[in-house]
Amino acid sequence: MLFQDFQPLAAIATTPTAAKRLLPLALAAGATLWIPESLAGVLEANGGQDAHPTIQVYAGSLKTHLATIWHQYQGFIFGLAAGAVVRLISPLLEDKSRDPAVVVVDEMGQFAISLCSGHQGGADRLARLVALQIGATPVLSGASVGLGLPAVDMLGVAFGWTKGEGNWTLVAAAIARGEPVEVIQEVGSTLWQKHLPKGHPFYFETAEEQVTPGLQETRDLLDSSSRITNYQLPITKARIWIGFTQRRFSPESELPKVQWHPRVLWVGIGCERGTSRELIETAIERVFQAHHLAMGAIAGIATIDIKASEAGLVELCCDRNWPLQTFPAEILRSIGVPTPSTVVEAEVGTKSVAEAAAIVAAQESCLSMAKGEAADIVVGQESCLSMAKGGQDAHPTILLVPKQIFRLEGQPGAVTVAVALAEKEYTGRTGCLYLVGTGPGELNQITPAAQTAISSADAVIGYSLYIDLISPLLRPGQIVEALPITQERQRAQRAIELARWGLTVAVVSSGDCGIYGMAGLVLEELRFAGWDGKIPRVQVFPGISALQAAASRVGAPLMHDFCAISLSDLLTPWSAIEKRLTAAAMADFVTALYNPKSANRTEKIVRAQEIFLQYRDPNTPVAIVRSAYRQDEQISITTLDKLLSASIDMLTVVLIGNSNTRNYAEWMITPRGYQLS
Ligand code: SAH
C-alpha cells in the first residue's frame, strides 16, 4: 500500500547480489523484479520464479528490454551503478512531466539515489520510501529538498489539483534562489500555506486584490521591471496562480508563471438520448473556452439519474477520469435556477437538469466533507461571469455558467451545459489512514514500515510531544497538525475528515498505536460514521509499546504471562480497573501499569499497591521506568512495598513482577518456566 502511487513499479538487477538485495524490496513494494536469463538460476535458492511471480526474466540486452518496458511503469528501481543507469535511460528520457521516477540503489544497499524525475515523477518520494524500506540513506539533489519547501510542481498533488500551463522550471528556480514568489490563490485548500517553513519566499495575494484594477496595474509594472523599489510589495520574481480560470501567459512577459487548477468545477449536463461523446466533449470545451475556464479544474459531471447509462456521457467520463454524479428529478426540482424550462419539466419532471445538477453536485462535494474545513477555502468570484446562488444551503454555490445549448452538424443529439463552482475541490483520490505506533521515543526504535508510513503521508496528525520526537522523518510540504494531548477524539475526527477527502493521513501514537493509542479511537469514530471497512483505507503499523521498552531496560521481567492495566479512569470506571487489578494480582500475572499517576489522579497507584500487597510478597521486584528511550529517561528497580517512594508520573510505566520474579544486580528477571525457580 505504501508504494501505491508508483504502481506499476519495476526493479532491475543484473548481478546476483543486486538481485538478492532487490527481491525483498520488490516483494514489499509490489514491484516486478526484472533479471537477465543468466541470473534465473541464482534466485532458485530463494524459491525462484515459481515462488515469486514478482520475478520476470528478460532475454537479450537490458538496453533493448528497457526500451520496450519504459512506458509500462510509473517507476524504476535499478540495482546498478548510477553511471550505467544514466547511459541506459538517457535515450529514453522525454519530458520531466512524463518520465517515470528513476531510483538507483547501490550494491551495498546503503543509498537510494533519486536519479531522475525527482519531483514530477516522484523519484524523491520513491527514493525516500526505498531508503526507509531497506535501511538506506536517501540521496536527493533537488533544490527544494534542502530548503524544506514543497516543490512547486508537487504543491497540489495531495489535493488532486491539475497542473496547468506555465514555466515550471523557471518558477522552481526562483523558489530555489529564495526570490519573492507571488501566489494568487482563488480557490482550493490553503492548508499547504499553513505548513511552510519560516522564511519561505512565498507571499500571498487574495482573489479580491486580484480584481482591483489599481493593483493589477502595479503587478503589470512589476512584471516587466525591477526598477520599482518604493512599493510595499516585494519585487516578484515568479508567480503561481491557483485557480479555475485558464490564464494565457504572454510570451513577452519576463515573469515566469505557472498555474495549478484545483478541481472545483462541476459541469451539469442535460442531453437528448443518443447524444455522441464528441458532441458532449466539444460542448464542454467550447463553454470552457468562451468563459476562460480551465478544463483541468473540472471536478466531474452531474446530470439526472435517468442519464446514468447514457453511452456518450459514460464513455467521456471514463476516458477523462471524471466522476459522473446523478440525481433524481425530485432533488433537482427543489433547486432555484436562472434558466428553468417547462419543456424539460414535461419530459423529465424537473425544470432544470444541467443547472440544477451542477449546483447540487457542487454543494454535495462540500457537504460530503466533514465540517470545519470551510475556513481554509478562498472562493474567488469572477465579476465577468454570471452568478446565481444555488439552493438555500449554508454552502453557497455559484453557478458560473448558466445553461448553454449545443448541436453539431452531423452529430446526433443535443446537449446543454452549465458550470457550478464548489467551495471545496474534489481530490479524485482514495484516502488512506495509517495508524502508526512510533515506539517509546528514539527514532531507531520505530519500525522501518512505520517510518515509511510517516514520511510518505500527505498529512501527519498527533500529540505535539510525539510529533517533535519524529520531526526528522517529516518531509517538506507535509501537512503536520500537532494537537494537545487532551484532544484525542478531535485528532481522530480530523484525520478521518482529511482521509475522506482523499488524503493519506498518518495518525501517530507513542508506543503501539493499538495499545491505549489512537488506533482504537480512529476505528471507533469510523464505525460511528458508518464506514464500509474499505474507504478510507486503513493500515495499522505496530510499534514498541511502553511495557516492552521498559522491560528491555531492566532485563526480562515479562518472561512469563503478563498483562497491562491502565490506571486512568477517564474512559473506564474505577470499579472495573480495581476488578482487573485484583484479578491480575490473584492470578500472578506480571503486571504493567500504564497511566499510573497524574496531577489529578494521585491515589490510584496507592490503591493498586494495596491490592497487589494482598496477594503478593512485599519483596516482589518492581521496575519504575520513566521516559524510556528518551533523553530524560529514569529507571529504578525497587520492591512492591517501597513502590511509592519512587517518583511516578504520567510518563512512567510500572512493572510489577510475579511470585517468581527476582532482582539480580541491576536486573529484573522473571523465569521462563516455574519449575526452574
Ligand atoms: N500507546 C502507548 C501508551 C499510551 S498511554 C504505548 O503503547 O506505549 C500513555 C502511558 O504510556 C503513559 O502514561 C505511560 O504510562 C506509558 N508510556 C508511554 N511512553 C512511555 C515511555 N517512553 N516510558 C515510560 N512509559 C511510557
Side-chain angles (χ1 to χ4, degrees):
M1 200 149 108
L2 290 169
F3 288 82
Q4 66 189 4
D5 289 349
F6 300 97
Q7 301 302 339
L9 180 65
I12 293 174
T14 54
T15 66
T17 323
K20 281 182 191 147
R21 191 167 299 287
L22 290 193
L23 180 60
L25 173 65
L27 285 169
T32 304
L33 174 61
W34 285 101
I35 53 169
E37 281 172 315
S38 56
L39 285 191
V42 172
L43 292 178
E44 285 307 319
N46 291 306
Q49 215 181 333
D50 296 338
H52 300 297
T54 352
I55 304 174
Q56 299 265 354
V57 176
Y58 65 86
S61 87
L62 177 55
K63 193 164 190 161
T64 320
H65 177 63
L66 199 57
T68 54
I69 61 168
W70 185 246
H71 291 288
Q72 292 167 23
Y73 293 98
Q74 295 269 0
F76 286 87
I77 304 167
F78 286 92
L80 265 79
V85 178
V86 170
R87 281 174 218 289
L88 277 167
I89 66 170
S90 58
L92 301 169
L93 297 173
E94 289 167 26
D95 182 313
K96 68 177 188 172
S97 64
R98 285 198 304 274
D99 291 329
V102 179
V103 169
V104 177
V105 176
D106 67 304
E107 185 119 324
M108 303 300 288
Q110 285 179 303
F111 302 101
I113 307 164
S114 165
L115 193 69
C116 202
S117 295
H119 300 153
Q120 298 172 23
D124 287 356
R125 272 190 310 143
L126 182 60
R128 279 177 195 270
L129 284 174
V130 169
L132 284 164
Q133 196 72 37
I134 63 172
T137 305
V139 181
L140 316 177
S141 54
S144 63
V145 174
L147 301 169
L149 291 170
V152 64
D153 51 6
M154 294 296 289
L155 263 192
V157 170
F159 314 111
W161 298 352
T162 313
K163 258 173 65 192
E165 278 176 26
N167 194 330
W168 295 85
T169 310
L170 287 187
V171 174
I175 296 172
R177 287 193 295 266
E179 293 171 351
V181 174
E182 183 183 30
V183 177
I184 303 171
Q185 181 160 9
E186 299 168 331
V187 289
S189 174
T190 55
L191 269 180
W192 70 275
Q193 297 182 9
K194 300 196 178 121
H195 302 277
L196 294 169
K198 284 208 180 70
H200 66 79
F202 303 112
Y203 67 100
F204 301 96
E205 293 286 328
T206 61
E208 280 84 352
E209 282 168 317
Q210 171 219 327
V211 290
T212 313
L215 241 155
Q216 190 58 52
E217 274 162 36
T218 308
R219 187 172 297 125
D220 287 346
L221 278 170
L222 292 173
D223 271 9
S224 56
S225 162
S226 53
R227 278 172 287 127
I228 304 156
T229 49
N230 55 342
Y231 277 101
Q232 294 290 310
L233 292 169
I235 295 166
T236 305
K237 293 293 183 185
R239 182 178 298 150
I240 303 170
W241 287 98
I242 302 169
F244 57 81
T245 40
Q246 178 66 56
R247 289 173 202 282
R248 304 265 167 236
F249 298 140
S250 147
E252 277 94 62
S253 167
E254 281 172 17
L255 187 74
K257 306 177 193 89
V258 291
Q259 52 191 330
W260 273 107
H261 303 302
R263 296 176 64 184
V264 285
L265 303 181
W266 285 91
V267 182
I269 295 285
C271 63
E272 286 175 6
R273 179 160 314 150
T275 302
S276 74
R277 173 223 153 118
E278 256 170 297
L279 173 53
I280 305 171
E281 195 166 25
T282 312
I284 298 173
E285 280 168 1
R286 296 234 179 117
V287 167
F288 271 61
Q289 237 168 27
H291 293 84
H292 307 289
L293 299 175
M295 293 289 284
I298 295 180
I301 303 291
T303 188
I304 189 164
D305 54 5
I306 51 172
K307 297 284 170 204
S309 49
E310 185 64 42
L313 203 50
V314 172
E315 194 188 318
L316 176 64
C317 287
C318 278
D319 282 3
R320 295 278 201 143
N321 211 6
W322 288 332
L324 178 61
Q325 299 268 29
T326 60
F327 306 98
E330 304 85 79
I331 291 192
L332 300 181
R333 210 186 295 148
S334 65
I335 305 295
V337 296
T339 334
S341 151
T342 43
V343 180
V344 173
E345 188 180 26
E347 257 177 60
V348 294
T350 165
K351 286 195 174 104
S352 164
V353 171
E355 289 178 349
I359 291 170
V360 181
Q363 278 173 353
E364 291 221 331
S365 75
C366 303
L367 288 173
S368 65
M369 275 297 303
K371 294 128 214 131
E373 258 275 296
D376 293 328
I377 312 295
V378 194
V379 177
Q381 304 185 354
E382 294 276 321
S383 52
C384 58
L385 298 166
S386 69
M387 281 179 224
K389 291 254 163 133
Q392 300 86 38
D393 205 273
H395 296 271
T397 301
I398 297 164
L399 190 69
L400 291 180
V401 184
K403 87 171 178 194
Q404 321 272 307
I405 303 179
F406 280 85
R407 281 175 215 284
L408 266 186
E409 280 270 330
Q411 290 287 339
V415 61
T416 54
V417 179
V419 184
L421 171 66
E423 205 177 342
K424 190 166 191 74
E425 67 268 49
Y426 168 78
T427 64
R429 305 176 72 214
T430 304
C432 257
L433 282 162
Y434 295 154
L435 309 178
V436 187
T438 57
E442 265 177 24
L443 280 185
N444 61 12
Q445 300 286 348
I446 308 180
T447 68
Q451 298 199 17
T452 310
I454 293 167
S455 24
S456 66
D458 300 316
V460 181
I461 294 185
Y463 164 42
S464 16
L465 172 67
Y466 303 135
I467 296 271
D468 289 347
L469 289 170
I470 57 159
S471 58
L473 298 175
L474 301 175
R475 182 172 47 78
Q478 242 173 349
I479 298 163
V480 180
E481 296 192 354
L483 289 156
I485 193 158
T486 46
Q487 299 182 5
E488 277 120 340
R489 214 162 273 283
Q490 284 92 323
R491 249 183 278 161
Q493 287 163 350
R494 174 66 175 156
I496 292 171
E497 177 189 335
L498 293 176
R500 288 177 73 182
W501 184 36
L503 269 60
T504 296
V505 186
V507 182
V508 297
S509 282
S510 77
D512 185 283
C513 62
I515 298 178
Y516 311 120
M518 291 297 296
L521 276 170
V522 171
L523 287 164
E524 258 181 77
E525 287 291 324
L526 279 169
R527 190 161 66 91
F528 294 148
W531 181 49
D532 66 356
K534 297 191 184 83
I535 293 175
R537 280 193 285 248
V538 172
Q539 194 173 349
V540 186
F541 294 81
I544 297 173
S545 189
L547 66 82
Q548 293 159 286
S552 74
R553 303 305 271 154
V554 296
L558 306 177
M559 243 318 144
H560 214 280
D561 302 337
F562 64 89
C563 67
I565 301 177
S566 164
L567 298 192
S568 165
D569 60 351
L570 282 178
L571 303 167
T572 312
W574 179 250
S575 57
I577 299 171
E578 272 207 6
K579 205 163 139 190
R580 288 187 186 173
L581 287 168
T582 310
M586 228 156 87
D588 205 27
F589 278 108
V590 177
T591 306
L593 300 179
Y594 281 71
N595 300 301
K597 195 174 177 184
S598 74
N600 306 328
R601 282 185 297 104
T602 52
E603 289 311 302
K604 311 296 187 204
I605 185 73
V606 179
R607 183 71 193 118
Q609 183 200 32
E610 273 170 26
I611 293 172
F612 271 81
L613 280 172
Q614 285 172 29
Y615 301 92
R616 251 173 247 189
D617 192 299
N619 281 324
T620 304
V622 167
I624 296 172
V625 181
R626 184 179 187 276
S627 294
Y629 292 95
R630 296 186 196 149
Q631 263 176 357
D632 48 347
E633 180 187 81
Q634 285 168 18
I635 300 169
S636 59
I637 295 189
T638 177
T639 48
L640 186 56
D641 56 345
K642 304 202 185 66
L643 186 162
L644 296 175
S645 44
S647 85
I648 296 178
D649 64 10
M650 275 305 275
L651 298 174
T652 312
V653 71
V654 177
L655 301 178
I656 304 175
N658 68 16
S659 53
N660 286 269
T661 305
R662 297 289 175 267
N663 283 339
Y664 175 77
E666 292 301 299
W667 301 94
M668 182 170 169
I669 309 164
T670 301
R672 176 69 185 81
Y674 290 167
Q675 73 274 22
L676 297 176
S677 62

